[in-house]
Every structure is written in structure tokens, then in C-alpha cells.
Amino acid sequence: MRKFFDKAKASLSDQQSHFPHSQGQQQQLLKQDDTASNIKSPTALDVLRYRFHHGANLGSIFVLEQWLYGSMFDSGAKGGSELEAVKASIAARGVDATRSKWQSHWSSALSDSDLEFLANTARCTSIRLPIGYFTLGPSYTSNTPFTGEPSQVYISAWSAVLALSSRLHAHGIGTLLDLHALPGGANVEAHSGTSSGKAELWGNKTNLALAKKCILFVVEEVAKGKVQGCIGIQLCNEAIYGARGMYDWYSDVVHSVVQIDSTIPIYISDAWDLNAALAWSRGRNTVSATTNPIIVDTHKYYTFAAADKAQSAQQIISRIPGELGEVPPKSGSVIDHGAAEVLVGEWSCVLDGDTWAKSQNANRDQLVKEFGDVQSEQWRRRAGGACFWTAKMDWMDGGEWGFFEMTKKGAATPPHGLTLGAEDVKGRMERAQQQKEGKKNEAVTNHINYWNKTSPRGHFEHWRFEQGWEVGFADAMAFFGMRTHGGLQGSGIGGDKIGMLEMWVWKRLRESGQGGGFVWEWEQGFRQGVGDFYGLVGV
């Protein structure tokens, strides 16, 4: 019988119907009775956190990079990092004047017109905001390269982060707080805060303890509601490949975060090994686990590696539809395998000069647009969101590194639903509501008929499928209509999709109270309900 059901499961993969087979969490659920459902309508914060993130980074504001903001580096700077910039400025003009200059840089990062563009032209949903441990203030810099005079520059830095997140939230844009620069450095690059060229976070108990302290401070601030519209916290950025003890540190940090607020999504660097990060996160994101939702941050660039430089633009573009093949399809089974979700935390439209040299007699602007289009589409298909690198720099609009320029040129394109007018969204929702019962009856009938044919003597609990379908349809509608019904701040234009679908399924399963051996039917129904709603509204 086991082999029979496995065969049936495989044959039904295209219909998103998967019979459970794991011996882990599914066996735990087999022993559990149903409990009271804790499912409530999605909130505005749910939508901010679990919709598809059509986002941008706001790099080099709180963690400077010389190539983006050379204006912040005096001629005496001995490197391209935040530390070298602040030390050179203190030497040139003193601590007080440096603090004033830095405060001005923070407060002017996004003008009102920038915010208007992001929200209403780019249709940006989310900003990934790199910050450093020094951003939290002098008390977090003891026994680090920022101790002493440099630390005094950051007395009001955290307040500037709060002010910026508040302004973003007022435009309906969420903020992902990215601990880009940690003590010792998660990687060897200058964007880790110093120009040491070393990744001394890993294997250093003192640095790891301070990094954890910083993260827990941020978690507490988010839990208190001080960071408006916070969609998650990223524990570190671009950890070096094979970082020693990284997953042990992740586990230790998450264990402490759960005690403060278990609802905040936690993002982890994949350390350039997406398969390993997905396996680890899937093992944590089980229905029965005590954990925050864990999402994997991966970065996609096609301009640095020798293999990329050896190809033409057309060759690289042809590769994109196969990218993120490591990510399980969104028709998967959280009950079976746990949840795995990816954010493409950095991407761009930049290609190396060698690549362009191999693309002779081609229309560069057209190829850049095509490159951006195919990436945008692939990230929507395989990931829960993507954040372009980057939004602002001295040399606006930023060329192929610039979110503003690539948006204006049609290379960084938002999901179709975000471009719909408010009345269009309302009309689509009304028509979907009118067709709901017919669509549900069709889905339930098809589900029952399949299993009657496949296993005529089998016992099932098909009422769970119908129940899951109802919740999935309602959730998809709530996300889609949140803007037009005034649930989110901003213009009220556009309709959001559940982009972080695997994590939302995981969340809903945990809240559903479902138990016993047929929870898989509820999950299948939920997924079908979500998909049927999107089919009816055409997104």
C-alpha cells in the first residue's frame, strides 16, 4: 500500500496533490487530534511580511561603500569602508562636524520625491536596509575598531533608522533590517564595515556574542513596534563560503529570538551554498517546530565570475530561466518536507565589459532591458521576493546598478498585480467572489474523483481539502485587496500576491489546529484555493 500511494502521489504532481510520506513531522501529526483553529484574517503586517517583495536595497547609507558615495570619503581615507571614511573625516574636521555630516547623509537618504517614485512608479513593496553594529550606538562598539571617537558619530544613528522606516511605512513600503556589517566581518569585503580584508566574525566567540547582542537589541525594538513596517531581520550579509560554526550560531540566535518574538521572519545568508542553506532552513521550518519563520537570502550577479565574463550578454540571458533550480517548486508539501523560501536579496542588470565585448553589434539598451525582464520574471517564479542593488548613490540614476534608472528603462519590472488601478482590483475581486462557489465545487469534486479512482477502497477526509480551500481563497483575496480597502498605508493602488507562499502555508498550518493523518488534504486544499483565486483575478 505504501508503494501504491507513493506512485499515486507522483502521478498527481501536476495537480499539486501529494500524499505524505515522511517519517518525521507527519508522524507527529498522525498522533495529534484536531485542536481549535487560531486562524484570523491576514493583518496589514502579515501582508507586508509575506507578500511578494518587489524591492530595492538602500545600500551605502548606514554602511558606506566608497564606489557608491565617494562624497563621504575625504582624500585621506585609507580604504573604501565605513570605518576608513569616518576616521578620515574626524581627522579632517573633528568628531562633531563628522557627526553632523553623517546625520545629514542618513536623513537625506530618500527625499519625498524619492519615496513617491518608489511607491507609485517603481511599485516598490520593500526596502532591504543594510546597517552595521555601530549603527546601534556607542555601547555596541566596545573593543571593536569603532570604539572611541568613531563611535561618537553614531549616537543618533539608530534613531535615523527608525525615522526612515517610519517614512517608508507611510508609503506602504516595508523594511528588511539587514545586519550587513557585524563585528569582525562576516566576509572580507569593505561593505562589512572595515578594510581589514578579514572575516573574523566566524570562530571568534567575542565577536559572535556581540553580533548576537546586536541582533537581539534589534529584535526587541521590532517587538516593541518601534521599527514600523519591519518585514524581517537578516542575521548577516554574504557570509563567506564554509563559514566555521555559522549554522550553530544561527541556531543559537534563533533560539533566543523565539523567546522575544517568534513572529518576526528571520533571514539568513546562504554563504554561497544555497542547497545547504535550504536544507538547514527546511529542517527548522517544520510544522511542529518552535522557531521563527526562516528565509534564505541569496544573491545573483553575473558580472564578477570568470565564467560570466567568458559569455556574451545573450548567452547569460539564456541561462536565467534555469536559475534557482535548487529551490523547491511552490506546489510542494510543507507537511512532508518543511518550508523552504528564498529572497534574492541582491541582483542587478550589470554585465562585465568582457561580456559586452562578446556582444558586438547588439543594442545594449535592449539587451539590458531583456536581461532585467527575464530576471524579474524568474525571481517571481522561483523566489518569494527580490531586492535590486541599489537605490541611491552619488551618481544617480545609477546606470545598470541603479533601481531608479532600471525602473525608468523598464528593466526592473513589478509584478502585474501591483500595476492595477484601485477600481480594477475591486472589480476583479467582485467577479472572483461571484464565481467562488462554482470554483470551489469544481476543485473539491476533482479532488474527490481523483482519489476515488486512484484508491477506491481508501479512507480519506476530504472535508479537510474543502476547509483548506476556503482559507486559501480568503487569504489570497485579503492580500490582493489590502491596499484598495485601506489596510496598507500609501496610495491604495495595486494588488499584492502571497509571494512567501511556502512560509505562509507553514504559518497557516500551524494556526489551523489540524491533526491526524490527513492534514495533507488541508494543505492541498489551501494551495488550490490560493491558486484558484489568482486564476479568477488574472494575476
Side-chain angles (χ1 to χ4, degrees), residues 115-440:
L115 287 167
E116 185 73 16
F117 177 87
L118 287 170
N120 299 325
T121 300
R123 311 303 302 151
C124 177
T125 65
S126 318
I127 287 291
R128 181 173 178 259
L129 184 64
I131 62 174
Y133 65 95
F134 40 84
T135 310
L136 308 183
S139 62
Y140 291 89
T141 65
S142 298
N143 300 313
T144 75
F146 283 86
T147 194
E149 285 190 329
S151 72
Q152 298 306 303
V153 173
Y154 304 96
I155 290 172
S156 63
W158 181 245
S159 295
V161 171
L162 300 184
L164 180 57
S165 69
S166 178
R167 293 178 66 222
L168 288 165
H169 184 241
H171 286 77
I173 300 173
T175 300
L176 171 59
L177 294 173
D178 162 32
L179 273 296
H180 214 73
L182 290 175
N187 57 63
V188 302
E189 305 299 333
H191 55 65
S192 278
T194 76
S195 300
S196 71
K198 300 176 181 179
E200 295 183 319
L201 171 67
W202 311 114
N204 185 305
K205 292 182 179 180
T206 300
N207 286 338
L208 289 169
L210 178 55
K212 177 181 176 181
K213 178 182 176 182
C214 293
I215 291 165
L216 296 184
F217 167 79
V218 174
V219 170
E220 288 171 350
E221 293 284 279
V222 173
K224 293 173 184 175
K226 291 185 177 182
V227 188
Q228 294 187 47
C230 180
I231 65 174
I233 298 168
Q234 183 164 338
L235 303 189
C236 73
N237 171 67
E238 291 188 350
I240 57 169
Y241 180 82
R244 181 157 58 99
M246 182 181 72
Y247 287 109
D248 289 340
W249 183 69
Y250 283 167
S251 296
D252 178 53
V253 172
V254 172
H255 176 75
S256 295
V257 172
V258 169
Q259 313 306 315
I260 301 169
D261 187 339
S262 63
T263 69
I264 302 171
I266 297 298
Y267 289 70
I268 61 166
S269 167
D270 68 353
W272 309 104
D273 186 346
L274 183 53
N275 274 322
L278 287 170
W280 185 83
S281 65
R282 219 170 13 236
R284 302 282 307 201
N285 291 328
T286 63
V287 175
S288 58
T290 301
T291 184
N292 291 67
I294 296 172
I295 298 159
V296 177
D297 168 69
T298 194
H299 297 173
K300 289 295 182 181
Y301 290 119
Y302 300 89
T303 189
F304 300 117
D308 295 327
K309 295 177 183 181
Q311 292 189 321
S312 68
Q314 295 92 334
Q315 288 175 309
I316 291 174
I317 289 169
S318 71
R319 287 165 41 199
I320 304 303
E323 291 291 72
L324 297 183
E326 307 95 329
V327 182
K330 291 186 179 295
S331 59
S333 172
V334 171
I335 290 294
D336 275 342
H337 308 297
E341 199 76 75
V342 164
L343 174 79
V344 180
E346 295 182 17
W347 69 284
S348 80
C349 290
V350 176
L351 295 171
D352 187 73
D354 287 349
T355 289
W356 287 117
K358 295 177 178 65
S359 311
Q360 294 178 358
N361 302 318
N363 184 321
R364 177 164 175 156
D365 285 345
Q366 182 57 40
L367 282 176
V368 168
K369 183 180 184 303
E370 185 179 349
F371 184 39
D373 282 343
V374 71
Q375 286 187 88
S376 296
E377 179 60 32
Q378 185 65 3
W379 310 154
R380 285 194 285 272
R381 185 181 298 114
R382 301 294 293 181
C387 296
F388 195 95
W389 185 275
T390 184
K392 296 299 293 291
M393 59 277 289
D394 277 336
W395 34 285
M396 292 294 288
D397 281 341
E400 289 143 16
W401 285 110
F403 183 63
F404 280 63
E405 184 162 341
M406 291 298 95
T407 296
K408 292 173 183 177
K409 291 186 174 180
T413 55
H416 174 59
L418 297 184
T419 68
L420 302 176
E423 292 306 312
D424 192 358
V425 169
K426 291 177 182 177
R428 292 173 188 239
M429 290 176 64
E430 289 172 3
R431 291 190 292 275
Q433 185 62 42
Q434 292 166 1
Q435 299 173 71
K436 174 187 171 184
E437 286 303 311
K439 198 67 175 176
K440 180 182 71 174

Side-chain angles (χ1 to χ4, degrees), residues 472-524:
F473 190 94
D475 282 357
M477 179 176 282
F479 271 66
F480 191 66
M482 187 66 73
R483 293 170 182 255
T484 59
H485 289 100
L488 292 179
Q489 297 192 53
S491 66
I493 296 173
D496 287 291
K497 292 182 69 173
I498 307 171
M500 293 283 173
L501 181 61
E502 299 309 296
M503 298 314 305
W504 187 252
V505 170
W506 174 82
K507 182 176 186 293
R508 285 319 215 185
L509 277 168
R510 289 157 68 92
E511 295 169 342
S512 70
Q514 296 283 315
F518 294 91
V519 182
W520 61 274
E521 292 202 69
W522 193 96
E523 181 180 351
Q524 286 176 24

Side-chain angles (χ1 to χ4, degrees), residues 4-26:
F4 172 79
F5 278 126
D6 285 344
K7 184 177 180 180
K9 171 183 173 179
S11 71
L12 197 58
S13 61
D14 290 341
Q15 302 177 46
Q16 299 185 3
S17 192
H18 299 274
F19 196 89
H21 64 269
S22 74
Q23 300 301 311
Q25 60 177 325
Q26 179 62 19

